[in-house]
Amino acid sequence: MIELANTREQVYEIARKLDSTRKFVESVGVEMEGGLCREKFDKIIEKYGSTRRLGIGSDASVRVYESDTVCEKWWVFDAEIKYWSRSVVDVIEFADYVFSLGFKQNSTCGNHHHFKFILHPLTTTVLMSPEAIKMYKRMYLKVFGNNAKYVDRLKNRYCYMQESVYDIILNFTYERYYAFNVQSYFEAQNTLEIRLMPYAEDFIEYANQVLFNIQALETIINKLMKNNEFTLKVP
């Protein structure tokens, strides 16, 4: 069963539980698209730069304009902040800190999560099967199906939910704008990227997106793997 949080305390409770019980997800990476005061980036770098797991850049598709925030320097409207860790709690703490600095998202933003797995090549390949993707979609709609913002992402041109083997083949060959993006596996980060989550209103919503994806992937892999072997139904 997928657990989501209503409070900050519950977020950390679920994250700690995942760190102690997950069997397949080895590491988690986040790309946080949004807006933030320029001087706040220095705080993020001071706190996390030494980990060598932080990346700060921009995304041309992001446009988060903020008229109410007073910055010491200026407002950055197209930020992309990346971070990864083998600890779910660590990733959640990072997101919590970024939001605490005044980070904001809007409809120009999407939340992309990157995953490495135990038996990474095999597990990634299996998760790119029609069966695994359909399982994920069912869980996604069960949890978020009453929220139009989430349902709309299934047809968004930047994160289209694969509907056929043809979509999966396109993603393997050259097209990255799918919900499950295997192109990321062949890039430097060597991850499976899930691009489906929409913008978040606050830290708790953002954290729930990360927690959902980890739990969904663990559930799918657990159902398809028995005794370190995967079984798929091929029509």
Side-chain angles (χ1 to χ4, degrees):
M1 187 176 91
I2 302 289
E3 288 186 86
L4 297 184
N6 294 314
T7 65
R8 189 171 175 276
E9 290 72 22
Q10 289 174 351
V11 166
Y12 282 95
E13 181 182 344
I14 296 169
R16 285 191 294 269
K17 186 185 298 184
L18 285 173
D19 269 339
S20 64
T21 61
R22 61 194 162 95
K23 298 187 294 183
F24 306 108
V25 174
E26 190 174 70
S27 68
V28 183
V30 294
E31 297 178 17
M32 301 181 69
E33 297 178 352
L36 186 66
C37 287
R38 173 61 187 84
E39 64 270 12
K40 303 299 183 181
F41 290 99
D42 296 332
K43 292 182 177 294
I44 297 171
I45 293 168
E46 181 181 355
K47 188 174 177 68
Y48 288 97
S50 63
T51 67
R52 304 184 71 178
R53 291 181 274 113
L54 172 70
I56 293 178
S58 62
D59 189 306
S61 67
V62 174
R63 291 290 185 273
V64 181
Y65 297 111
E66 179 53 52
S67 59
D68 296 330
T69 301
V70 178
C71 300
E72 294 176 14
K73 294 184 178 179
W74 62 86
W75 178 259
V76 178
F77 62 84
D78 59 351
E80 183 180 67
I81 305 168
K82 301 177 181 180
Y83 184 74
W84 72 272
S85 178
R86 291 184 174 86
S87 165
V88 179
V89 170
D90 186 30
V91 171
I92 292 299
E93 286 177 340
F94 175 80
D96 195 359
Y97 182 68
V98 172
F99 270 95
S100 76
L101 296 175
F103 180 77
K104 294 185 179 180
Q105 296 186 314
N106 65 15
S107 59
T108 67
C109 307
N111 284 313
H112 308 159
H113 304 147
H114 291 256
F115 299 93
K116 286 190 176 181
F117 306 96
I118 304 299
L119 302 175
H120 186 48
L122 177 60
T123 303
T124 299
T125 303
V126 170
L127 286 171
M128 289 302 300
S129 68
E131 186 175 350
I133 292 172
K134 286 178 181 177
M135 290 170 67
Y136 177 91
K137 183 179 178 181
R138 285 196 295 269
M139 284 186 278
Y140 181 87
L141 287 173
K142 184 175 181 180
V143 174
F144 301 113
N146 292 325
N147 190 324
K149 179 175 76 170
Y150 284 81
V151 175
D152 289 347
R153 291 288 288 180
L154 296 170
K155 300 295 184 182
N156 186 289
R157 70 186 185 94
Y158 291 110
C159 59
Y160 183 78
M161 189 81 226
Q162 284 98 326
E163 297 290 345
S164 66
V165 172
Y166 178 73
D167 288 326
I168 294 171
I169 292 171
L170 283 181
N171 183 222
F172 265 100
T173 52
Y174 69 90
E175 178 58 76
R176 69 182 300 105
Y177 293 139
Y178 280 104
F180 277 42
N181 173 36
V182 77
Q183 286 289 317
S184 182
Y185 178 87
F186 303 107
E187 297 169 347
Q189 60 268 27
N190 186 221
T191 59
L192 176 65
E193 180 188 28
I194 297 183
R195 301 173 56 87
L196 192 58
M197 291 297 174
Y199 69 95
E201 299 284 353
D202 53 32
F203 162 69
I204 292 177
E205 182 180 4
Y206 184 88
N208 275 329
Q209 295 176 357
V210 177
L211 298 175
F212 170 87
N213 272 337
I214 297 169
Q215 292 175 83
L217 293 174
E218 286 280 321
T219 299
I220 293 168
I221 301 167
N222 191 57
K223 285 183 178 179
L224 296 178
M225 178 187 281
K226 303 296 180 185
N227 300 318
N228 288 330
E229 294 182 354
F230 281 109
T231 302
L232 297 173
K233 297 177 182 178
V234 180

